[in-house]
Amino acid sequence: MFILSALGRVTGRLLQEMGGMAVLLGQSLLYLPRRPYRWRYFFRQLEFIGVNSLFIVILTGLFTGMVLALQAYYGLRKFGGESMLGAGVALSMTRELGPVLTALMVAARAGSAMAAELGTMKVTEQVDALLAMAVHPVHYLALPRLLASVIMVPLLTVISVFIGIVGGYFVGVILLGVNPGTYMQKMLEVVTADDLYNGLYKSVVFGLLLAVISCYEGLQAKGGAEGVGLVTTRAVVLSAIAILIFDYIMTAMLF
Amino acid sequence: MTDKRHIIRLEQVYKSFNGLKVLRGLDLVIPQGEITVILGRSGGGKSVLLKHFLGLLLPDQGHVLVDGQNLVALAERQLFQVRKRFGYLFQNGALFDSLTVGENVAFPLQEHTNWRWTKIKAVVEEKLQQVGLQGITEKMPGELSGGMRKRVALARALALDPEILLFDEPTTGLDPIMTTTIGDLIATTVRRLQVTAVIISHDLSLAFSLADTIAFLHRGRIIAHTDPESFRNSPLEPIQQFIAGRPDTTVDNTQKDED
Ligand SMILES: Nc1ncnc2c1ncn2[C@@H]1O[C@H](COP(=O)(O)OP(=O)(O)O)[C@@H](O)[C@H]1O
Ligand SMILES: [Mg+2]
């Protein structure tokens, strides 16, 4: 009985939050064409996400590509398919691991920072100050972050995929001694532009998800520093869950 | 006060937070073109009251009328139009800490005018100078003292020369000389631009020197609203206690009790 009611409460809260996030997204779309366009603020958000996440995205991309090459080599060798190593690494990176890992890293790095910044603004009445000056927080704070995330996450994904393929090449060709010619040839043969596009569609959705969730959670902050910490954690956890769930849904639908 | 125009009118306003009854059937009118000072104990709900004036908080029950428009019934867009008429100084300043001092003061100008940057810059300099601050436009709010932050916030609230000014403890945390300077600035602004000002304070000397009328908030209601002279001579016990600075010995004034 106790477990059921607790479960009910959690579900109720989650549904309520999802409703709130949908409203935030809707308001952002409504405000999208409205003046003033705050270009400088928008570029600051682009820079913020890029600068915050670039290094960690390169690092994850590199090691993911490298470990993929090791694992795939182990599997492919069993039936003499080492020549497909390049194709295997590139397919995994473009379609799946590049978009997902990049989004998870951006959520952990930039999403948490967004939630913390907006949360601090909320509890120190800076959000109230915006309202008092007749500026909508969704227009001023959330919209530029949503846009920046939708642009930067795919860009970072491209970087991550590229670096991952380089890492895979390094391990496959230089460490494991696969023939460089076949490695590249099979890769270019098998992987199509559609694979990259599919990954990028995903990353656009992931970018939107993590920004909506992080902004929403930030604007929900209550109390003091503790409240800010709470919403920051929630933002990262919920973003990660949402990214993984939408990854499955989109994979099932797209292919 | 019946012959005067009332720019803001609160009728039977109730507001509670998680069972804590802060406003309990509050009535208050703000005469146009005058300075109204609202006094009351700390934690008594003065900031909560002021936030109702521009719909930052909406009452659980009752009405808030600004120039005849009921804020409770307004659509969000109309509410934003009403807010453009206000300048609001938050108790803690509420400066944007990711923007410089200059960008903070310029903020309402950039949002609501299409002035050129040179003109905005000139107004920013002027407003900062009025609050006794110069050469700090490039500083971040975090680098300033509490009193300086409050003065920057005051400059931001005055930037658009709004017609209704709401000040939440404008002089708390300032030294006596700066208190006088800010008091004078508020008075001259109100007289010069013929605007309305509401000042929340617990500074009696500021209240007596600036106010056209003084309202006293006690246990969620305005129990008196008169000119300074009658206020000083009020027979009401809570007011005499407040003026004399005597501790309240009768009942505690956290509002968890009765009605
Ligand atoms: N947003 C809020 N949520 C919950 N409680 C609040 C909120 N705002 C104010 N309060 C409570 O209302 C009471 C009055 O607060 P306030 O208006 O800040 O007092 P004052 O400004 O007179 O010192 C306090 O007990 C405060 O904790
Ligand atoms: Mg207060």
Side-chain angles (χ1 to χ4, degrees):
Chain A
M1 224 31 239
F2 170 75
I3 294 178
L4 273 184
S5 78
L7 205 65
R9 252 200 326 276
V10 171
T11 319
R13 161 122 193 246
L14 208 62
L15 284 176
Q16 189 194 336
E17 295 218 335
M18 280 161 63
M21 290 170 193
V23 169
L24 186 145
L25 179 60
Q27 285 175 329
S28 302
L29 291 175
L30 279 181
Y31 273 113
L32 183 60
R34 280 209 216 152
R35 288 174 186 283
Y37 307 132
R38 305 176 182 94
W39 292 107
R40 237 159 58 97
Y41 191 82
F42 171 61
F43 284 121
R44 254 192 237 185
Q45 301 312 316
L46 283 177
E47 187 191 340
F48 176 81
I49 294 176
V51 168
N52 254 304
S53 317
L54 184 61
F55 180 69
I56 195 158
V57 162
I58 288 177
L59 208 64
T60 24
L62 180 66
F63 278 95
T64 308
M66 284 165 54
V67 80
L68 266 178
L70 279 183
Q71 293 281 26
Y73 185 76
Y74 172 83
L76 290 168
R77 203 180 42 179
K78 292 191 168 175
F79 51 90
E82 293 98 326
S83 63
M84 294 305 287
L85 187 60
V89 170
L91 271 184
S92 310
M93 282 308 293
T94 49
R95 295 177 65 103
E96 182 62 36
L97 291 172
V100 171
L101 289 177
T102 302
L104 289 176
M105 287 302 143
V106 175
R109 210 61 187 81
S112 63
M114 277 182 212
E117 190 183 353
L118 267 53
T120 305
M121 293 187 72
K122 176 76 192 306
V123 302
T124 57
E125 295 187 316
Q126 294 174 55
V127 172
D128 276 339
L130 278 177
L131 287 168
M133 288 187 269
V135 174
H136 201 294
V138 168
H139 192 191
Y140 184 78
L141 296 173
L143 176 60
R145 284 172 172 81
L146 262 55
L147 281 178
S149 185
V150 165
I151 292 171
M152 285 313 279
V153 172
L155 274 179
L156 290 165
T157 299
V158 170
I159 294 173
S160 156
V161 167
F162 177 75
I163 299 278
I165 289 172
V166 171
Y169 184 90
F170 173 76
V171 169
V173 173
I174 298 175
L175 297 186
L176 300 173
V178 177
N179 181 293
T182 33
Y183 186 99
M184 289 305 292
Q185 191 204 338
K186 289 289 175 194
M187 185 173 94
L188 295 173
E189 231 174 72
V190 172
V191 183
T192 63
D194 274 349
D195 293 314
L196 187 62
Y197 292 152
N198 276 321
L200 290 182
Y201 293 146
K202 283 184 176 180
S203 69
V204 168
V205 173
F206 296 162
L208 188 63
L209 277 175
L210 77 91
V212 168
I213 291 172
S214 302
C215 289
Y216 175 81
E217 289 297 329
L219 291 174
Q220 290 300 106
K222 280 198 195 76
E226 198 191 338
V228 176
L230 216 67
V231 296
T232 307
T233 311
R234 277 189 74 83
V236 177
V237 172
L238 290 180
S239 296
I241 293 172
I243 287 166
L244 294 173
I245 291 176
F246 272 77
D247 182 42
Y248 179 79
I249 295 174
M250 290 185 67
T251 308
M253 282 185 355
L254 279 171
F255 318 112
Chain B
M1 292 187 302
T2 45
D3 51 334
K4 278 180 209 147
R5 217 173 95 75
H6 296 139
I7 186 93
I8 300 170
R9 175 187 291 275
L10 280 81
E11 290 168 356
Q12 284 300 301
V13 168
Y14 287 82
K15 184 73 182 179
S16 26
F17 298 103
N18 310 314
L20 175 71
K21 293 170 179 164
V22 180
L23 304 181
R24 301 190 284 182
L26 179 143
D27 292 301
L28 176 64
V29 291
I30 304 295
Q32 188 170 34
E34 291 191 359
I35 299 179
T36 306
V37 174
I38 300 174
L39 295 173
R41 298 278 303 268
S42 269
K46 300 187 298 299
S47 298
V48 168
L49 168 60
L50 202 63
K51 284 180 188 170
H52 278 79
F53 286 19
L54 71 174
L56 289 180
L57 291 173
L58 292 173
D60 299 334
Q61 269 179 63
H63 301 291
V64 179
L65 300 155
V66 175
D67 219 355
Q69 282 182 294
N70 185 2
L71 297 192
V72 184
L74 288 186
E76 191 172 57
R77 225 169 165 165
Q78 296 166 300
L79 189 56
F80 274 81
Q81 289 306 318
V82 173
R83 284 182 184 144
K84 286 186 189 168
R85 303 172 63 179
F86 286 90
Y88 195 108
L89 171 68
F90 283 82
Q91 184 167 358
N92 63 13
L95 293 177
F96 301 125
D97 45 30
S98 61
L99 303 182
T100 65
V101 165
E103 288 169 335
N104 264 282
V105 181
F107 187 87
L109 302 169
Q110 283 180 308
E111 288 296 322
H112 298 307
T113 71
N114 40 29
W115 296 350
R116 304 175 65 89
W117 179 235
T118 45
K119 175 160 183 198
I120 291 181
K121 241 174 111 174
V123 174
V124 168
E125 290 289 342
E126 179 203 328
K127 297 293 171 185
L128 282 171
Q129 196 178 340
Q130 282 177 356
V131 297
L133 295 170
Q134 268 160 310
I136 61 158
T137 51
E138 298 305 320
K139 282 209 160 69
M140 299 306 285
E143 303 170 54
L144 307 179
S145 74
M148 284 166 93
R149 276 205 294 276
K150 184 150 261 178
R151 283 186 280 155
V152 173
L154 182 60
R156 184 177 70 178
L158 295 174
L160 274 173
D161 291 329
E163 66 182 288
I164 310 165
L165 295 163
L166 307 177
F167 301 117
D168 197 344
E169 309 206 1
T171 60
T172 307
L174 301 183
D175 63 60
I177 296 171
M178 201 35 79
T179 299
T180 314
T181 311
I182 297 302
D184 289 348
L185 173 64
I186 292 173
T188 49
T189 306
V190 170
R191 306 293 176 237
R192 181 169 56 90
L193 301 171
Q194 307 212 313
V195 294
T196 308
V198 181
I199 304 172
I200 281 186
S201 186
H202 41 231
D203 180 342
L204 278 171
S205 61
L206 179 87
F208 285 125
S209 65
L210 282 187
D212 293 306
T213 61
I214 298 179
F216 192 77
L217 177 66
H218 182 67
R219 293 197 202 159
R221 295 194 186 89
I222 297 293
I223 58 167
H225 186 188
T226 72
D227 61 277
E229 200 44 45
S230 341
F231 184 81
R232 199 193 294 272
N233 302 321
S234 167
L236 294 171
E237 180 57 19
I239 293 179
Q240 285 313 316
Q241 271 177 356
F242 187 86
I243 291 175
R246 260 182 285 131
D248 188 346
T249 48
T250 49
V251 203
D252 78 333
N253 89 343
T254 52
Q255 296 105 2
K256 292 174 190 106
D257 50 345
E258 81 256 47
D259 61 343

